[in-house]
Structures are given as structure tokens and as C-alpha cells.
Amino acid sequence: MSTVERYEQLLAFISTHMPEPWTQDDVDGVVIFTGGSPSEVVVRLTDTAVIVEEYAVKWERSHMPVMRPRRVGIVKWRQLPESQLMTIIGELIKGARETRRARYHTCRFCGRTRPPEWMADDGICQRCSDRDVTRVH
């Protein structure tokens, strides 16, 4: 199998293993998949590697979230046999999703489970915090 065919096979494999919904962008020759709602996994495909990351956000300033994913693993895709490569990538995507979901919290007011960047202080989601549900009238 040629390098081009293998690369196209990786594109197809990644797209079928990303959590729905997912997006695909091309930035400077790197294909970036982001999957889940809210986002859970980021996969970057370069001409030599597959990089799987757990989606994460850092707050640069108040009300200014910036994506800062955490690397889960990197695989040099040209160096592994096809079956092992696909198994590893599939497991890395699964692991990134599980790690991301383990960071979710349940709001003590509305009872909804939210990702960490949607939580305010004291176990309250931002939506409930914005509504000021803790105020006594």
C-alpha cells in the first residue's frame, strides 16, 4: 500500500472513530479532527504522525476560552503495521474521551453534568451561576 493510500485510509478511519458531531480542518498541512458536543477529542494527522489529545480549555481572560488540548499519545503511522496502527489509534481516541468525561462535574443546582470549563466555583455550572441561584430573596 502506498503512503498516499495509507494516509487516506487513516483519514477515513479517524473520521469513523471520532465522537459525533465532528469537524475536520486543514491547518498548514495538518488535518485536525475535533469531535463531540461538547468537544471531547482532538486528533491531528500529519504526514508522519497521528496525535491524539483530550480536549481542554484554558481561560486566558474572563470570558475568553482558548483551546489547550492535553496530549494522550502520538503514533508514527509509517512505522507500524496497519492492524496495530488502527487498534492503537482507536484505543487512544477512546482513552481521550474517557479521560475527558471523567473531568465532567454535576451542577448542584440544575443537576446537569457539564465539562469543567462550563463550571463556576463551588460545583455550580456557569448557567446557574449567571442566574444567581444562590441569592436569597
Side-chain angles (χ1 to χ4, degrees), residues 31 79 97 113:
V31 179
Q79 298 176 355
R97 288 185 76 191
T113 301

Side-chain angles (χ1 to χ4, degrees), residues 19 34-42 53-59 66-70 72 92-105 113-119:
T34 305
S37 179
S39 297
E40 298 173 335
V41 180
V42 178
E53 300 167 311
E54 171 197 351
Y55 184 88
V57 170
K58 289 275 187 179
W59 291 93
V66 177
M67 184 176 77
R68 295 275 192 258
R70 296 176 183 98
V72 174
L92 287 171
I93 291 171
K94 180 181 173 186
R97 288 185 76 191
E98 289 173 0
T99 302
R100 169 78 168 150
R101 288 182 177 183
R103 297 182 197 280
Y104 285 23
H105 302 280
T113 301
R114 307 269 190 199
E117 66 272 10
W118 291 10
M119 298 299 288

Side-chain angles (χ1 to χ4, degrees), residues 4-124:
V4 172
E5 290 172 327
R6 195 153 194 217
Y7 184 88
E8 290 175 2
Q9 185 181 34
L10 279 169
L11 284 170
F13 180 85
I14 293 166
S15 69
T16 61
H17 285 77
M18 290 298 288
E20 295 285 342
W22 56 268
T23 61
Q24 178 181 332
D25 299 302
D26 190 330
V27 180
D28 298 327
V30 177
V31 179
I32 303 171
F33 293 87
T34 305
S37 179
S39 297
E40 298 173 335
V41 180
V42 178
V43 177
R44 300 173 197 274
L45 175 60
T46 74
D47 60 344
T48 60
V50 177
I51 302 157
V52 179
E53 300 167 311
E54 171 197 351
Y55 184 88
V57 170
K58 289 275 187 179
W59 291 93
E60 295 293 322
R61 285 181 257 157
S62 181
H63 303 290
M64 191 169 181
V66 177
M67 184 176 77
R68 295 275 192 258
R70 296 176 183 98
R71 184 169 290 173
V72 174
I74 184 169
V75 181
K76 302 291 186 175
W77 61 266
R78 292 182 185 197
Q79 298 176 355
L80 289 173
E82 180 183 334
S83 63
Q84 290 175 330
L85 176 64
M86 300 307 178
T87 299
I88 292 166
I89 293 170
E91 288 299 312
L92 287 171
I93 291 171
K94 180 181 173 186
R97 288 185 76 191
E98 289 173 0
T99 302
R100 169 78 168 150
R101 288 182 177 183
R103 297 182 197 280
Y104 285 23
H105 302 280
T106 301
C107 175
R108 60 187 174 116
F109 287 102
C110 69
R112 292 188 177 147
T113 301
R114 307 269 190 199
E117 66 272 10
W118 291 10
M119 298 299 288
D121 294 330
D122 301 324
I124 303 170

